[in-house]
Amino acid sequence: MANFVLTNAYLSVNAVDLSAKIISISVPQETAMVPNATMGVTTQASLPGLLHWTIEAELAQDFAAGQTDATISPLWGAAAFTIETRPVNAAVSATNPKWSGSAVVASYTPIAGAVGDRAVARVTFESAGALTRAVA
Amino acid sequence: MANYVLTKPKVYLHGYDLSALLRSIGGLVLTPAPVDNTTFGVGTRTHTAGLSGVEFTADGFSDFAADKSDTALTASFAVAGRVITVGPETGAAGEISYAFQALQGTYQPFGGSVGDMAAFVLSAGASGDWVRGTMLENGSFSATTNGTARSLGAASATQKIYAALQILSGTGTVGVRIESDDGAGFASPTTRITFTSASGRAAEWLSLAGPVTDTFWRAVITITAGGPFTIAVMMGIR
């Protein structure tokens, strides 16, 4: 596939498909930069340390059963659950990989917006285990 | 050169050319950490240069096809010793180039709002040394080639010669080495750095401690099978 427009991303939170609620989504992955300089070098070199990932999403808020709030609110402060995202809401493939892992809710904003705005929810899922990229 | 607009910079990440996928380069930032050396008796806080650091950030459009952004950035994420080469102008041979041993510490494979182009984000720091130098050669090579002689100066006993090789495409067998000489004609060249022979996409960072009194330098590309190979090789003295 070539470059593409995000029109149909996929997000599953604790086995609930919230794809239709996605306004924006990102999947930043980081590794800790552990200082590795020793005497005799002139550059602050680093080693890869612990991995850390988040999935950050802005979702259209919906308080109906099985929708945005009913899915995320019970996970706030709860045990880790499975989360999965894909660039396109279609079968996983070599050109539509999935990222999945065990996560917890790090922050959840159930109500946000000004008068007249669409009600949105903002949520950040934090790593509770490894993030796995798969193509099948 | 005069001031210029960033339209054709080149960014190579360990054998992958990311240039056509990028929409912005957040910066290649060299950060010599200032170390406070203020003493009694002075009226101004003073500093001296400490360890230098490198920060590189860029973002572009996600592409999950083979050998595109996701392949390149997944392979390098959280791996020390990857080679990043940046050609801030056009990347052409003879231009200024930066390179460093990188640790890609951040990778966002895709992100954006509905209707946006799916975008990736990467950032990298140093996992070793960096150098500002000259792009010795950058192009497609079908046969063994003695590169252009370039007057880049001598290396003192306290300096090193650093070289970064990016083999961006090609199949067969190719070797790249860097030679020096005391004349532009390379009548009696000396091999200074020899990269590992490669059969395809590859990248390598090598260095040689000074002194070297020769002031002319060139890359020699030896193709013993297959080709053509797309190769970018730079060197600098620091």
Side-chain angles (χ1 to χ4, degrees), chain B residues 91-119:
Chain B
E95 291 182 358
I96 292 296
S97 174
Y98 287 84
F100 66 103
Q101 289 177 289
L103 168 57
Q104 181 194 323
T106 301
Y107 175 41
Q108 175 184 297
F110 70 96
S113 297
V114 59
D116 289 348
M117 290 296 292

Side-chain angles (χ1 to χ4, degrees), chain A residues 1 6 23 29 31 44 46 133, chain B residues 52 63 70 105 107 115-116:
Chain A
M1 71 187 296
L6 271 178
I23 299 170
Q29 306 168 52
T31 181
Q44 179 57 70
S46 300
R133 178 186 185 278
Chain B
S52 59
D63 192 334
D70 189 56
Y107 175 41
D116 289 348

Side-chain angles (χ1 to χ4, degrees), chain A residues 1-7 9 22-31 33 37 41-48 51 85-87 94-95 97 99 133, chain B residues 21 51-52 61-65 70 74 77-78 80 103-118 124-130 238:
Chain A
M1 71 187 296
N3 304 338
F4 64 104
V5 175
L6 271 178
T7 57
I22 299 171
I23 299 170
S24 70
I25 189 166
S26 61
V27 193
Q29 306 168 52
E30 299 175 354
T31 181
M33 308 289 272
V41 303
T42 58
T43 300
Q44 179 57 70
S46 300
L47 288 174
L51 303 179
T85 186
R86 306 171 204 159
T95 56
W99 284 265
R133 178 186 185 278
Chain B
L21 296 170
L51 294 175
S52 59
F61 298 124
S62 307
D63 192 334
F64 295 99
D70 189 56
T74 297
F77 176 62
L103 168 57
Q104 181 194 323
T106 301
Y107 175 41
Q108 175 184 297
F110 70 96
S113 297
V114 59
D116 289 348
M117 290 296 292
S127 66
D129 276 315
W130 65 274
R238 174 171 171 259

Side-chain angles (χ1 to χ4, degrees), chain A residues 87-108:
Chain A
V88 180
N89 189 356
V92 176
S93 69
T95 56
N96 188 38
K98 70 175 182 181
W99 284 265
S100 60
S102 182
V104 295
V105 174
S107 70
Y108 176 47

Side-chain angles (χ1 to χ4, degrees), chain B residues 204-221:
Chain B
E204 191 170 13
W205 170 277
L206 292 173
S207 65
L208 172 71
V212 174
T213 56
D214 290 344
T215 57
F216 288 91
W217 302 82
R218 72 178 181 186
V220 176
I221 296 160

Side-chain angles (χ1 to χ4, degrees), chain B residues 140-145 171-177 198 220-231:
Chain B
S140 179
F141 297 88
S142 301
T144 295
T145 302
T171 56
T173 306
V174 62
V176 179
R177 67 180 188 271
V220 176
I221 296 160
T222 305
I223 297 176
T224 53
F229 288 89
T230 302
I231 293 172

